[in-house]
Amino acid sequence: MTAQGSKKVIYAALAGNALIAVTKFTAAAFTGSSAMFSEAIHSSVDTGNQCLLLYGMRRAERPADLRHPFGYSKEIYFWAFVVAILIFAVGAGVSFYEGVQKTLHPHAVTNVHINYLVLGAAIVFEGFAWYVAFKEFKRGVRKRSMLRALLHSKDPSIFTVLLEDTAAMLGLIVALVGIFLADQLNMPVLDGVASMVIGVILALAAVILAYETKALLIGESADEEVVAGVRGMLKDNPQVTAINEVLTMHMGPADVLTNISIDFADSASAEQIETTISTLERQIKSDYPEIRRVFIEVQSRHGHTLDQKG
């Protein structure tokens, strides 16, 4: 996934959510709908989240220095985790609170047709933003199912927007149904119930996002296909007699650190070992551009086994 592709997704979501938030707040003020107010809060939080993701991407692009020799790529994971906290605390919290208040003190929704127009337009805008995010996300899916790809994605700038937009679409449908039923059945309490349901949807989205981002923050390995490909290169090299281990960790969406321990034949000269290591490093980086750093350690199989036991 390219940085340009990630930014395109975020800019599309940012523009849509900013316009939708203003429209929803206006509609909520005119109609008194709790569900519409919750949706306005939701869009506002999403707008702020996209700004944080863009900020995180810019910070992550800083070059490595003495203080951070492996660079700042992980910073995007930190800001994605902050986004998860905001969705849960602000989006879900305010929506659920507003729904409880409306349920305890119900009042009729006025000018209900304004809500229908705003929600209909919001569904169109959110649908477009969701399509842009889905299309960009699908490029990196390969042969995986969408759910498995989402759970294994390493780029929070993509899966965060996709998750937010999915929650937004569900929230809009819930708001539309809640307002419609509250008006048709003359039961204003259903407007408050819809607001609470929106809060639950946002809370679930926040939990999923926090879980995924936490795994990346503490150090998640590269895709199984990448690790298997690296092992295949090592196995095919005639100078390598044993592969002790291949350890990978994502420092960023397209920044993988790889540590390799291999054994050579006892008859291999120092020059042959050095040449083989240099060749392997170039080959690995060429075939897998996301692997930016490769550290290859020469260690006997027996010595590695003893180290593991110790």
Side-chain angles (χ1 to χ4, degrees):
M1 197 79 67
T2 64
Q4 289 78 8
S6 299
K7 287 182 179 179
K8 180 179 72 175
V9 171
I10 297 175
Y11 281 130
L14 176 61
N17 281 316
L19 292 172
I20 293 170
V22 174
T23 307
K24 286 177 180 177
F25 273 122
T26 303
F30 273 101
T31 65
S33 169
S34 292
M36 181 59 76
F37 181 76
S38 295
E39 275 300 305
I41 293 295
H42 182 181
S43 294
S44 298
V45 171
D46 284 352
T47 302
N49 290 344
Q50 271 101 54
C51 291
L52 287 176
L53 287 175
L54 287 171
Y55 176 74
M57 289 178 71
R58 192 179 73 174
R59 298 275 298 176
E61 291 171 354
R62 289 177 297 166
D65 52 34
L66 292 176
R67 189 174 180 82
H68 295 89
F70 291 103
Y72 293 82
S73 296
K74 272 184 177 286
E75 190 149 352
I76 183 62
Y77 297 150
F78 168 76
W79 289 107
F81 193 78
V82 172
V83 164
I85 295 173
L86 287 176
I87 293 175
F88 188 87
V90 181
V94 173
S95 295
F96 199 84
Y97 174 80
E98 178 67 17
V100 170
Q101 292 301 308
K102 182 64 177 286
T103 303
L104 295 176
H105 310 287
H107 55 270
V109 177
T110 59
N111 300 312
V112 69
H113 292 91
I114 294 178
N115 285 326
Y116 296 152
L117 289 173
V118 170
L119 290 173
I123 288 174
V124 173
F125 289 130
E126 289 285 5
F128 173 74
W130 183 91
Y131 175 75
V132 172
F134 175 78
K135 187 177 179 181
E136 194 66 29
F137 180 77
K138 197 174 180 182
R139 291 182 181 180
V141 168
R142 298 172 184 169
K143 295 181 180 179
R144 292 174 174 173
S145 66
M146 286 303 298
L147 179 60
R148 189 165 181 266
L150 182 65
L151 294 175
H152 288 81
S153 176
K154 314 298 182 183
D155 190 348
S157 61
I158 297 293
F159 69 68
T160 297
V161 174
L162 184 61
L163 193 61
E164 282 181 345
D165 288 343
T166 301
M169 292 294 288
L170 292 174
L172 288 168
I173 293 171
V174 169
L176 189 61
V177 172
I179 293 172
F180 176 78
L181 292 178
D183 178 56
Q184 294 298 311
L185 301 178
N186 195 26
M187 295 177 61
V189 69
L190 294 178
D191 182 41
V193 172
S195 182
M196 287 191 288
V197 173
I198 292 171
V200 172
I201 291 173
L202 290 175
L204 289 174
V207 169
I208 294 172
L209 179 57
Y211 175 81
E212 285 302 301
T213 311
K214 182 209 73 172
L216 293 167
L217 270 173
I218 63 177
E220 194 169 89
S221 66
D223 286 337
E224 296 173 2
E225 295 89 342
V226 174
V227 177
V230 172
R231 281 187 169 274
M233 290 181 194
L234 299 173
K235 186 177 180 181
D236 292 341
N237 192 292
Q239 298 293 332
V240 178
T241 60
I243 303 170
N244 297 321
E245 63 182 359
V246 176
L247 304 177
T248 62
M249 183 172 67
H250 265 271
M251 306 300 291
D255 184 359
V256 177
L257 170 68
T258 303
N259 293 324
I260 297 170
S261 174
I262 52 179
D263 191 8
F264 285 83
D266 293 338
S267 59
S269 66
E271 183 179 357
Q272 287 176 318
I273 292 174
E274 289 175 354
T275 301
T276 300
I277 289 176
S278 296
T279 300
L280 285 172
E281 287 181 352
R282 287 195 302 270
Q283 185 181 3
I284 290 171
K285 289 181 179 180
S286 175
D287 287 7
Y288 299 99
E290 65 268 36
I291 297 180
R292 297 186 182 178
R293 297 173 182 82
V294 181
F295 299 96
I296 299 179
E297 176 187 29
V298 180
Q299 188 177 28
S300 69
R301 169 70 84 177
H302 179 67
H304 177 75
T305 302
L306 290 177
D307 285 347
Q308 292 297 100
K309 289 181 180 180

